[in-house]
Amino acid sequence: MRSEGNPAEVFGLENAAAYTRLVDALLFSNQCVAVVGAGLSCPMGYPGWRTFLESLRARAIEVSPQESVNAFREWDALTEHPLVQAEKVSEVLGSDEVHREIEKTFGPREPQYSLMHKRLVQLPFRHHITTNYDPCLFAALDSSDPGKWTPAVP
């Protein structure tokens, strides 16, 4: 079992020195902002952006096979353009269905956050920013200081 207080055990020995330097820099500056991507929540079972797009595409094909043939004709050519892929999926499914899929896929789970989320929010960042749909970062923030944190976009 990992120790919650030992950075070498939590982050891995090779990252312990970098972690210590980061904490020192944060403590002295009070100006750093954490920008958190989906990778932090993937170990909790939440998909990354590309995986989620593929699941939306599969849902669109299931719901509207005819319309999907035309909409996804160039899907593979668009792998470097995930926002265009997301737009294509949204055109087929409609925004209401996309929102339902987001809620279904990224709803709260137990446990609500990982040890990595907890350790991250314990660092003295001035703000935390995420593009994630999952609630893990907010849940970890709220558990560290209940009632203090409010998501800017619920």
Side-chain angles (χ1 to χ4, degrees), residues 53-75:
L53 280 177
E54 284 298 332
S55 71
L56 286 176
R57 177 183 179 216
R59 177 74 178 134
I61 292 169
E62 177 185 316
V63 170
S64 300
Q66 273 311 89
E67 193 176 347
S68 296
V69 169
N70 292 330
F72 303 140
R73 187 172 315 230
E74 299 174 11
W75 185 266

Side-chain angles (χ1 to χ4, degrees), residues 68-137:
S68 296
V69 169
N70 292 330
F72 303 140
R73 187 172 315 230
E74 299 174 11
W75 185 266
D76 292 336
L78 295 172
T79 57
E80 297 301 315
H81 306 283
L83 293 179
V84 175
Q85 288 179 320
E87 187 176 310
K88 298 273 185 198
V89 167
S90 187
E91 288 170 4
V92 175
L93 286 176
S95 61
D96 288 344
E97 181 66 18
V98 170
H99 286 120
R100 278 191 290 278
E101 289 296 315
I102 290 170
E103 289 174 5
K104 182 173 76 175
T105 304
F106 296 99
R109 300 179 180 177
E110 288 298 328
Q112 293 183 325
Y113 54 88
S114 69
L115 180 57
M116 291 295 288
H117 290 98
K118 180 178 179 179
R119 299 299 280 162
L120 179 69
V121 302
Q122 289 173 339
L123 295 172
F125 286 106
R126 185 176 187 139
H127 298 286
H128 297 80
I129 298 172
T130 184
T131 57
N132 296 0
Y133 291 118
D134 70 76
C136 298
L137 184 64

